[in-house]
Amino acid sequence: MKQIAHVMNILVAVLLLATVACKKNGASGDAGGTDGSIADTVRRRNVLAWVDCRSNVYGTTGRFNDTAQIRKTLDTLKSIGVTGLVMDVKGSAGYTMYPSAYTTQYTSIGGKSFTPNVDYVAFMVDEAHKRNMKIYASTVTFVEGDASRGMGTLYDNAAFKSNYESIVCDVNGNRVSITSTGRNGFVNPAQPAVQERALNIIKEIVTKYNVDGLILDYARYADIYADFSDFSKNQFISFLQDRFQDNTAANMNFPKDIVASWKESAGSVLPNVTGKYFNKWLLYRSGVIYDFFKKARATVKAVKSNVEFGVYVGAWYGTYYQVGVNWASQDYDPFGDQTIRFDWAYPRYNETGYAEQLDILMTGNYFTQILLSENSATANLKYHWWSIEGSINGIKYITKNKVPHYGSVDMGNLNWSSKSELTRAIKYIIDNTTGGVMLFDVVHMYAPETNQLKQPLWDAVAAGIKK
């Protein structure tokens, strides 16, 4: 779920650029005011635990396939101070954890099934609310195929795959389907039918279930190598003609006028030489995602205005343009910013910022370095996307505190030196964000074999939550 592979693939490249995207000193956080910002002194101290469906319901060590075990686990979470849950209701296969009119329902994976004749989503909502815990439904928005199992909508429906599967560039510049590269089955976010399907599922979830919020996950392009389909080409040409009155756009050499050549770095396919339209292409893609977020928010609010609308994104904003996402405030202009320089930004890129569309922002602050002072390379910096303190500083700076922010801790996939370090990370995030902390994932707390410390983490989490 939470893009750990993506983090590791680009970490080496980003570290080389760290000094470019950093600042030694800066102004304090937004004090709040009539512009809709939140005072940086606000500390809601909410604690949300993510419940990945594949690991917790269908995983070998998962407990959430059994109603009695769910109750027991929720009781423990409540006792240590967790105030809410984020449950996956649509996974990377494109299937849902409930009976849907628009897609297939997960019934079993690897021979493991949920309790028969029980609606998992309804049960989770009821049990959370019995404990006075909030519960948010999350949806893997633009992925419709689980490559590791060869299952999902793209594998079931040949016409859907042919029309909507994301087309990517490989390292040789060839345009190929994303599943042919072994990656999960992303679809093209620009396709109207893809957006309609996602919006229908969002509406269905909010209509059927008494959730407190709807969280979009993977509401993005696969990476910088996507989407290079003919549909995207034609839409991009229209974008250039309409926005820039570019009458020569139709004659472009696609995709070489966007990326002339590619290279492989740490397992990722990245631009080697960019073309004349590269920055405008980034602007176009970010606009696609922004437009979808406006529709998604409107969809949620039209059904139940009190349901919160939010997103999970990686905290590494400096490279998040690669997946076509601008989660900053529209009041933040990366092109004109002389404090943090972003050479990929283009004039009016700020207009694609979607922070103001959100009621809740969760960022993956998935780093073992907590304080800037703990590394000599970052000790004199304020903004640094690859430490917890530095990324939180950056998030406040680019979102202008327009949305409650939840920093997130990966409890299991990172190599924490000790449980006390995990505790310290949780405590730091709670003490320094307006919303609170999101803990990924519940399975890492109760199943020692799924975390790097090989120990239960209940006590470490409880200590981090405690004031």
Side-chain angles (χ1 to χ4, degrees):
M1 163 241 147
K2 299 270 86 64
Q3 310 162 344
I4 291 297
H6 184 73
V7 177
M8 298 309 296
N9 286 339
I10 63 178
L11 179 56
V12 174
V14 172
L15 289 176
L16 294 175
L17 298 173
T19 56
V20 175
C22 298
K23 180 180 182 288
K24 291 188 176 181
N25 296 294
S28 60
D30 195 319
T34 57
D35 62 351
S37 62
I38 303 165
D40 194 30
T41 54
V42 171
R43 296 292 180 263
R44 290 174 173 83
R45 306 188 68 85
N46 294 320
V47 180
L48 304 179
W50 197 287
V51 186
D52 177 78
C53 67
R54 193 159 115 173
S55 300
N56 289 282
V57 180
Y58 301 115
T60 304
T61 59
R63 294 181 179 178
F64 280 67
N65 68 317
D66 177 79
T67 54
Q69 287 292 319
I70 291 175
R71 291 189 181 101
K72 180 179 178 181
T73 305
L74 296 190
D75 285 341
T76 306
L77 288 168
K78 178 69 176 179
S79 72
I80 65 172
V82 172
T83 62
L85 306 172
V86 185
M87 62 171 173
D88 284 346
V89 298
K90 175 180 178 284
S92 58
Y95 300 164
T96 52
M97 292 295 293
Y98 66 91
S100 170
Y102 302 101
T103 190
T104 302
Q105 181 184 3
Y106 279 115
T107 54
S108 66
I109 297 179
K112 195 168 182 180
S113 304
F114 185 64
T115 304
N117 303 316
V118 177
D119 184 323
Y120 169 78
V121 177
F123 180 82
M124 288 285 287
V125 170
D126 289 345
E127 292 299 318
H129 287 163
K130 285 177 184 177
R131 293 161 177 79
N132 199 29
M133 301 169 77
K134 284 193 171 185
I135 186 161
Y136 298 81
S138 75
T139 172
V140 177
T141 312
F142 293 132
V143 187
E144 298 284 349
D146 181 345
S148 67
R149 286 182 167 81
M151 67 183 294
T153 309
L154 287 180
Y155 297 96
D156 301 339
N157 187 328
F160 185 87
K161 176 180 171 66
S162 175
N163 289 325
Y164 307 123
E165 180 177 6
S166 186
I167 301 300
V168 302
C169 280
D170 65 18
V171 72
N172 297 313
N174 299 312
R175 294 193 290 157
V176 299
S177 66
I178 192 166
T179 54
S180 71
T181 70
R183 295 176 173 89
N184 274 351
F186 277 81
V187 286
N188 183 1
Q191 284 274 10
V194 166
Q195 292 195 14
E196 181 181 9
R197 172 180 165 84
L199 294 171
N200 283 335
I201 291 173
I202 288 168
K203 181 178 180 180
E204 183 178 59
I205 294 165
V206 177
T207 301
K208 289 184 64 148
Y209 300 105
N210 187 29
V211 293
D212 296 288
L214 191 289
I215 305 297
L216 300 185
D217 192 14
Y218 288 94
R220 59 177 179 83
Y221 287 87
D223 212 321
I224 194 66
Y225 48 70
D227 173 278
F228 286 95
S229 64
D230 287 342
F231 180 90
S232 292
K233 172 188 175 181
N234 292 330
Q235 194 176 68
F236 180 52
I237 289 171
S238 295
F239 168 80
L240 293 172
Q241 291 170 338
D242 295 341
R243 173 70 71 90
F244 300 101
Q245 292 75 53
D246 186 343
N247 297 322
T248 66
N251 300 319
M252 76 167 64
N253 182 0
F254 184 88
K256 287 187 178 297
D257 278 346
I258 298 168
V259 179
S261 65
W262 299 83
K263 62 183 178 182
E264 189 168 331
S265 176
S268 288
V269 176
L270 300 172
N272 181 44
V273 177
T274 57
K276 63 181 180 180
Y277 284 124
F278 179 70
N279 292 77
K280 290 179 180 177
W281 172 255
L282 300 181
L283 179 64
Y284 152 72
R285 295 197 316 159
S286 187
V288 167
I289 300 300
Y290 170 75
D291 289 343
F292 174 76
F293 266 73
K294 288 181 64 179
K295 296 174 189 174
R297 178 182 177 83
T299 298
V300 170
K301 300 300 181 179
V303 178
K304 295 175 184 174
S305 61
N306 63 320
V307 172
E308 294 180 76
F309 174 66
V311 69
Y312 167 86
V313 293
W316 41 99
Y317 180 81
T319 55
Y320 225 64
Y321 71 91
Q322 294 180 347
V323 296
V325 171
N326 179 12
W327 45 266
S329 166
Q330 290 196 342
D331 288 343
Y332 171 71
D333 179 10
F335 178 77
D337 188 0
Q338 299 302 307
T339 298
I340 306 178
R341 304 298 299 273
F342 296 118
D343 59 5
W344 46 262
Y346 199 81
R348 297 176 66 183
Y349 190 86
N350 63 299
E351 295 177 9
T352 67
Y354 64 54
E356 285 84 354
Q357 300 298 318
L358 306 174
D359 301 311
I360 180 171
L361 170 66
M362 298 181 192
T363 61
N365 306 82
Y366 294 162
F367 322 115
T368 55
Q369 182 186 339
I370 300 171
L371 301 179
L372 290 164
S373 60
E374 292 168 353
N375 185 330
S376 60
T378 60
N380 294 321
L381 302 175
K382 178 162 184 170
Y383 307 121
H384 176 256
W385 301 110
W386 301 91
S387 65
I388 292 178
E389 179 186 11
S391 60
I392 288 176
N393 289 344
I395 290 161
K396 293 175 182 179
Y397 179 70
I398 67 170
T399 64
K400 307 296 183 183
N401 280 345
K402 293 296 184 70
V403 56
H405 171 224
Y406 290 68
S408 305
V409 174
D410 185 336
M411 300 182 292
N413 297 297
L414 298 183
N415 287 307
W416 297 101
S417 60
S418 65
K419 289 202 287 187
S420 63
E421 282 297 284
L422 174 59
T423 294
R424 197 163 66 92
I426 294 170
K427 188 176 293 292
Y428 183 88
I429 291 174
I430 292 173
D431 288 344
N432 289 278
T433 56
T434 54
V437 68
M438 185 274 280
L439 306 170
F440 183 77
D441 176 274
V442 171
V443 71
H444 299 313
M445 297 191 217
Y446 64 72
E449 58 269 48
T450 68
N451 67 62
Q452 299 297 315
L453 290 169
K454 306 304 177 187
Q455 302 175 59
L457 301 177
W458 297 115
D459 55 343
V461 174
I465 295 171
K466 185 178 179 180
K467 279 190 178 182

